[in-house]
Amino acid sequence: MLRLGRREFGPNEPVIMAIVNRTPDSFYDQGATFRDEPALARVEQAVAEGAAIIDIGGVKAGPGEEVTAAEEARRTVGFVAEVRRRFPDVIISVDTWRAEVGQAVCEAGADLLNDAWGGVDPGLAEVAARYKVGLVCTHAGGAEPRTRPHRIEYDDVMADILRVTVGLAERALALGVPRESIMIDPGHDFGKNTRHSLEATRRLDEMVATGWPVLVSLSNKDFVGETLDRPVKERVVGTLATTAVSAWLGAQVYRVHEVAETRQVVDMVSAIAGHRGPAVARRGLA
C-alpha cells in the first residue's frame, strides 16, 4: 500500500505525478508555468487528465543561474498553499534537496518531498519524518545538485542504485517517515550516462523486488533524446515507450509532462497485465 496525503494506492495501481515548474528556465517548457495563473491552470488540467500528484519545483535540475534557498522558497511556498486551498484532495509534492525549503513547504501543506539529489542534505529526510510526509529516495551517483555527470563509471549501475536508494529508504524509515509513504527512484540521467539509464530501465524489476514502491522520472530526458537522436520537443514517443517498459516491470509512480498520454499508456499496460479491466467491453457481446 502506498499512502500519500489523503490518498491510498494498491500495489498494482499506477500513479501519475504531473510536473509544474516554478522556474523561468526549465529545460522543457522554458518557464511556461513560472507565473501563478499559468501554473494553476496547469494544475487544473493535470488533475482533470488523471494526475494524482502535483510535483512543484523551484530550481531547474541542470546548471544555470544560482537560486538561493530563499528564492526557491519564494517560488514554491505560496504556490503550495494556493494549490492546497484550491485542490484540497490533490497530493502536493515539492522537488527540493534543501531541508529548510522542505520545512517551509510542509508548513504550507505539502504531502511529499521529492529529493532528486540522493540525500545530499540529510536534514531533508528528518523534515519528512517530523511532518510525517512522504519522501522520494533517489540515486544521483553522488553528484552535487545541478551538475552534469562527466565520464562517470559503475562496476554495476543497478547494484549501486539499489545500495543507495534502499539505504536512503531505510534511513528515512528509521527516522520516522511512514513506511507506506517512502518511494525509491533510479534517477535516470542523474549521475548517469545514457547507457546507465537504459540499463537502469532494463533492470527496473530488481528495484521493484525490494518491496519499496518505485518512482520513475523519464519525461523527455536526455537519455531518451540521445537514444533516438531527438531534440527536447521530439522525445514524447521515446518517453512513452520507456514508460510502457517501466510499467510492465512494475514501476508505480510516473513523474511526467504529458499526463493524458502517460495515463493511457500505464492503464493499457495495467490491463494487459491483468490488474484492471477494460474501461468498456462491448466487442463480441452485443
Side-chain angles (χ1 to χ4, degrees):
M1 181 68 68
L2 177 63
R3 183 177 293 115
L4 299 168
R6 301 181 181 183
R7 303 282 300 276
E8 292 184 351
F9 306 93
N12 295 312
E13 185 175 357
V15 183
I16 306 298
M17 170 190 273
I19 299 166
V20 179
N21 288 317
R22 304 308 316 285
T23 59
D25 53 356
S26 50
F27 88 99
Y28 186 63
D29 61 28
Q30 298 297 304
T33 53
F34 184 46
R35 294 186 299 109
D36 286 352
E37 287 311 313
L40 289 166
R42 161 69 174 160
V43 173
E44 185 173 13
Q45 177 188 10
V47 171
E49 291 178 346
I53 307 172
I54 301 298
D55 189 48
I56 299 164
V59 186
K60 68 177 288 188
E65 183 179 342
E66 180 184 0
V67 180
T68 65
E71 174 60 16
E72 182 185 358
R74 189 192 69 79
R75 295 176 179 183
T76 55
V77 174
F79 187 71
V80 167
E82 184 61 15
V83 172
R84 174 55 67 226
R85 186 184 72 82
R86 296 197 190 192
F87 304 90
D89 295 324
V90 78
I91 300 161
I92 299 176
S93 169
V94 175
D95 180 353
T96 186
W97 74 86
R98 292 166 164 149
E100 59 193 290
V101 175
Q103 178 169 330
V105 296
C106 286
E107 289 283 352
D111 304 299
L112 174 64
L113 297 175
N114 180 12
D115 180 7
W117 289 103
V120 67
D121 183 346
L124 190 64
E126 296 168 11
V127 170
R130 188 179 317 130
Y131 287 88
K132 301 301 178 186
V133 301
L135 183 69
V136 179
C137 301
T138 306
H139 180 271
E144 288 295 315
R146 308 191 67 194
T147 61
R148 299 194 189 280
H150 179 67
R151 297 185 178 179
I152 191 165
E153 295 182 1
Y154 299 96
D155 292 333
D156 182 329
V157 67
M158 182 50 73
D160 203 70
I161 289 169
L162 293 172
R163 176 185 64 81
V164 171
T165 59
V166 171
L168 289 170
E170 290 175 345
R171 175 179 181 266
L173 181 63
L175 288 169
V177 180
R179 192 193 196 288
E180 63 273 16
S181 302
I182 300 171
M183 292 170 278
I184 59 174
D185 177 353
H188 289 80
D189 274 359
F190 281 59
K192 299 170 188 68
N193 62 31
T194 291
R195 289 183 175 85
H196 294 143
S197 292
L198 291 170
E199 183 172 351
T201 307
R202 186 164 57 247
R203 297 173 61 185
L204 202 67
D205 55 341
E206 296 177 42
M207 294 190 74
V208 174
T210 66
W212 298 101
V214 174
L215 178 150
V216 287
S217 183
L218 311 168
S219 196
N220 303 295
K221 284 196 168 179
D222 284 349
F223 82 96
V224 175
E226 288 194 356
T227 299
L228 301 177
D229 193 17
R230 289 289 185 268
V232 169
K233 295 297 184 179
E234 296 178 17
R235 298 175 183 176
V236 175
V237 173
T239 296
L240 294 176
T242 313
T243 298
V245 171
S246 300
W248 186 255
L249 292 176
Q252 185 167 14
V253 183
Y254 304 83
R255 182 179 181 271
V256 302
H257 297 98
E258 286 80 22
V259 174
E261 294 87 343
T262 304
R263 181 82 263 171
Q264 290 186 50
V265 168
V266 298
D267 284 351
M268 191 71 197
V269 173
S270 185
I272 294 168
H275 301 317
R276 71 186 295 273
V280 296
R282 294 186 290 262
R283 182 174 175 81
L285 301 177

